[in-house]
Amino acid sequence: MDDLPFSSQASPVVRKVAEALANAFLAGESTPGAMRERGIRALGRSWPWLMPLILRLHSELGSENVWQSGQRDAMIALILAFPAFRAAFATPGEMPRIRGYFPFHARMDAPPTVLAGLDLPLLATPGDLADWLGVSPGMLDWFANTTGRDNGVGKLAHYHATWIEKKRGGLRLIEAPKERLRAIQRRILREILDGVPTHPAAYGCVPGHSVLDNATLHAGSSLLLKLDLRDFFVSIRSARVHALFRTLGYPWATARYLTGLTTHCTPLQVLRDVPHEEYPSPEERQRRRVWARQFMERHLPQGAPTSPALSNLCAWRLDVRLSGAARECQSRYSRYVDDMVFSCADGNPVRGRRILNMVQDIILEEGFSPNWRKTRILPSGTSQRITGLVVNQHPNPPRREYDILKAILTNCRRYGATSQNRRGLPDFQAHLSGRIGWFRQIHPQHGARLLALFGQIDWQNGA
């Protein structure tokens, strides 16, 4: 036991004195004289070891004008390890006691050097966060739900949950925040997250980047390697999000509330409603239950405005490692949300398999799961598609999609728009306008032709 650090053996009484003394030292200027004054007020008298302890703290922690709140744990450990402080508790009747208490208020720490200069709101305490968001502390507790209680479904729930069938099989759970929480999340996105730079390889949901930019990076490559991350948002748990806010300088308690406001634990009732076939096999029912169970832990909800930005920032280390692997293999790498692409000028499939073996290990080590069924190695002789665009030579929408939209617009002109609105969309005109806008961005000539057809539709009759 003698070789263990004293801090791990300290009694509750000794630790309590050390913590209160650290609070006193952190409560103002870090000059030795000012620290000694606060130490005397805390202890009720001047102990002979007080000034040597202060000088030791300066030697170990530096001599800044104001101590950083993040140094509290290190300061407590140094106080507990100081021999003269420990010896003061040897005589029961003469042990140090705390006579004056200094409350500990965490302060914003400086972000890492690479993020220096960020103009982030100063939110040192949960109270500061509540004031910044314009809510009461009680409402902040309710929205953040840091206790982990199940708000269930209905009026008390903070999210609308919807199960959606994917085109190629499987399910997606959309968890969209209700109006008040959505407004809170949008402010966090606009004033905190949008100012934090993402990795250059991240293209999805990044201001100034688009599907076209991502596709252009890999256009005309001899070999493409495509991977997909399984359940991307759900796999980013609250611990990652909390670590991100701590990295930005927010104290532990503030980061905890910011994490609660931007992550979600899916209610059990929503998981019970997971769709399945009318007569599923017991194996299929069990498989879906196991899959849905991962939503019971706090995760990034797909549908929250903050989730795309948080996912990009939480995947920074993944992007760093995969970019390094790409450089090692003389290839290019990008990630569009959960779709990852590697492109090589060399069309040798052996290179593609080498990259695949490297990146799959990295993905698993970083806590994500590859979707093995969507992994593809595509030479130039095949149709190379990235996020819906054909990139064999230069980014282009698939010809079939252009032909389908052109036929819909032609029929709208001939027979009326209602005849083509087979899905009963509430604003079919806006829907078609959005699809045309996408074509105009990717292929201006095709977009101009579609826009001309759109202008010939009589929307007043049969819209």
Side-chain angles (χ1 to χ4, degrees), residues 185-200:
Q185 291 176 347
R186 282 177 174 166
R187 183 163 191 188
I188 294 172
L189 172 66
R190 184 175 62 252
E191 300 189 31
I192 297 179
L193 301 177
D194 278 349
V196 184
T198 58
H199 192 276

Side-chain angles (χ1 to χ4, degrees), residues 330-346:
Q330 292 81 50
S331 62
R332 293 182 294 270
Y333 160 72
S334 70
R335 179 180 57 81
Y336 198 94
V337 190
D338 57 354
D339 293 322
M340 298 179 296
V341 181
F342 294 81
S343 59
C344 309
D346 179 3

Side-chain angles (χ1 to χ4, degrees), residues 133-136 138-140 142-143 157-160 176-188 261 305:
L133 293 173
V135 299
S136 67
M139 291 300 292
L140 179 65
W142 187 60
F143 282 121
H158 294 313
Y159 290 82
H160 295 291
K178 293 183 179 179
E179 183 177 355
R180 294 189 64 184
L181 180 57
R182 183 169 64 250
I184 289 173
Q185 291 176 347
R186 282 177 174 166
R187 183 163 191 188
I188 294 172
L261 292 169

Side-chain angles (χ1 to χ4, degrees), residues 109-380:
D109 293 329
T113 305
V114 69
L115 299 178
L118 290 180
D119 186 20
L120 299 176
L122 301 178
L123 308 172
T125 67
D128 293 336
L129 177 60
D131 291 340
W132 181 68
L133 293 173
V135 299
S136 67
M139 291 300 292
L140 179 65
D141 280 333
W142 187 60
F143 282 121
N145 192 18
T146 55
T147 61
R149 61 184 180 273
D150 184 0
N151 285 337
V153 294
K155 293 183 178 180
L156 293 179
H158 294 313
Y159 290 82
H160 295 291
T162 306
W163 290 102
I164 297 178
E165 293 277 355
K166 298 180 182 178
K167 290 182 179 179
R168 299 184 180 180
L171 295 168
R172 178 181 288 112
L173 177 60
I174 302 299
E175 297 174 294
K178 293 183 179 179
E179 183 177 355
R180 294 189 64 184
L181 180 57
R182 183 169 64 250
I184 289 173
Q185 291 176 347
R186 282 177 174 166
R187 183 163 191 188
I188 294 172
L189 172 66
R190 184 175 62 252
E191 300 189 31
I192 297 179
L193 301 177
D194 278 349
V196 184
T198 58
H199 192 276
Y203 280 77
C205 306
V206 177
H209 286 60
S210 67
V211 171
L212 181 59
D213 296 324
N214 183 48
T216 302
L217 178 68
H218 303 283
S221 299
S222 298
L223 187 72
L224 280 188
L225 171 62
K226 296 173 56 179
L227 299 96
D228 181 82
L229 296 176
R230 185 189 302 274
D231 300 322
F232 181 54
F233 289 105
V234 180
S235 62
I236 299 177
R237 304 297 171 83
S238 59
R240 284 183 188 246
V241 179
H242 185 269
L244 170 66
F245 285 119
R246 293 286 287 125
T247 301
L248 296 180
Y250 290 103
W252 189 92
T254 304
R256 179 169 174 257
Y257 276 90
L258 286 169
T259 301
L261 292 169
T262 54
T263 59
H264 179 51
C265 180
T266 306
L268 188 59
Q269 182 58 46
V270 173
L271 301 179
R272 290 196 182 107
D273 294 338
V274 57
H276 52 74
E277 295 81 2
E278 185 175 1
Y279 299 105
S281 66
E283 294 80 7
E284 173 64 16
R285 182 176 296 176
Q286 179 63 20
R287 186 187 67 80
R288 294 228 169 174
R289 285 177 178 172
V290 171
W291 170 78
R293 198 170 295 144
Q294 64 184 322
F295 291 88
M296 296 177 66
E297 296 187 30
R298 274 195 172 273
H299 57 274
L300 290 182
Q302 187 168 355
T306 48
S307 291
L310 284 170
S311 67
N312 281 331
L313 296 174
C314 289
W316 174 278
R317 180 180 164 90
L318 173 70
D319 291 333
V320 167
R321 296 187 65 186
L322 292 181
S323 295
R327 286 192 301 270
E328 179 71 18
C329 299
Q330 292 81 50
S331 62
R332 293 182 294 270
Y333 160 72
S334 70
R335 179 180 57 81
Y336 198 94
V337 190
D338 57 354
D339 293 322
M340 298 179 296
V341 181
F342 294 81
S343 59
C344 309
D346 179 3
N348 188 351
V350 175
R351 182 184 296 275
R353 287 191 289 271
R354 179 189 175 197
I355 297 174
L356 183 62
N357 290 334
M358 290 178 63
V359 303
Q360 286 178 346
D361 289 341
I362 292 173
I363 291 170
L364 292 171
E365 289 170 5
E366 291 302 317
F368 297 96
S369 299
N371 191 339
W372 310 108
R373 296 194 305 172
K374 292 187 177 181
T375 300
R376 299 286 186 272
I377 297 178
L378 302 172
S380 57

